[in-house]
Amino acid sequence: MKVWILRHGEAQYRARTDAERELTANGRKEVLNSAAHLLGQPLRWIIASPYVRAQQTAELVRQALGFADAVVTVPWLTPDSDPRKALENLDLYASDNVLLVSHQPLVGSLIGLAVHGNVQQAEPMQTASLAELEGDFPLAGALNLLGVRHPE
């Protein structure tokens, strides 16, 4: 299985709630830059946090790739979600190639857990950073980090 983990693009600093923050123009540009690295990849699922900025990020990627299926929205990809629960939920997609669109601190902790087996070695992820992981099963310490691309 391959898993790509994308942090949402740059978002507004202010909104009524954190969940309602929208992407900025720069954030949209960052996301499209990252989406270009996914062209030609055999994605089966795009799974995103319900927060507005993650939904906007996932939709931009979906459109840029010409991905026919809808974005799957799940509650286990919010900023404060437990990375262990996220990894457990990822097991439902273990036979497929998946793009996760989420937030810090979850994305960094999730990568650390998947690659190193713990959350203490979190991966630094800027807005619109894209990590590529690969392995047989989504278990703690069982995935290999193939690389991380940061926006330019």
Side-chain angles (χ1 to χ4, degrees):
M1 102 179 281
K2 272 200 176 184
V3 179
W4 289 269
I5 299 176
L6 177 63
R7 183 179 176 199
H8 63 80
E10 178 186 84
Q12 301 169 324
Y13 291 108
R14 295 181 184 221
R16 272 187 328 147
T17 66
D18 183 44
E20 295 176 73
R21 291 174 47 215
E22 295 187 16
L23 292 179
T24 63
N26 184 59
R28 291 177 185 280
K29 191 165 69 171
E30 289 176 335
V31 168
L32 292 174
N33 184 352
S34 292
H37 298 289
L38 292 167
L39 286 170
Q41 296 295 341
L43 280 179
R44 176 63 187 98
W45 301 96
I46 297 176
I47 305 170
S49 157
Y51 285 28
V52 171
R53 60 193 179 274
Q55 289 289 304
Q56 291 173 326
T57 296
E59 185 58 28
L60 281 170
V61 171
R62 191 186 75 73
Q63 290 175 6
L65 299 180
F67 191 79
D69 293 329
V71 171
V72 176
T73 302
V74 296
W76 44 270
L77 286 177
T78 61
D80 297 320
S81 292
D82 181 346
R84 289 169 190 81
K85 293 286 185 200
L87 201 57
E88 285 175 23
N89 282 306
L90 190 55
D91 191 50
L92 299 170
Y93 305 91
S95 62
D96 292 316
N97 294 321
V98 177
L99 170 65
L100 301 179
V101 180
S102 189
H103 318 262
Q104 279 290 52
L106 177 64
V107 292
S109 297
L110 179 58
I111 294 167
L113 180 63
V115 174
H116 305 292
N118 63 66
V119 296
Q120 286 75 33
Q121 292 177 272
E123 183 68 31
M125 296 284 282
Q126 302 169 19
T127 55
S129 286
L130 177 67
E132 182 178 1
L133 298 90
E134 183 176 55
D136 293 330
F137 302 102
L139 300 170
L143 296 178
N144 295 311
L145 180 61
L146 301 179
V148 178
R149 296 184 192 283
H150 300 289
E152 296 154 10

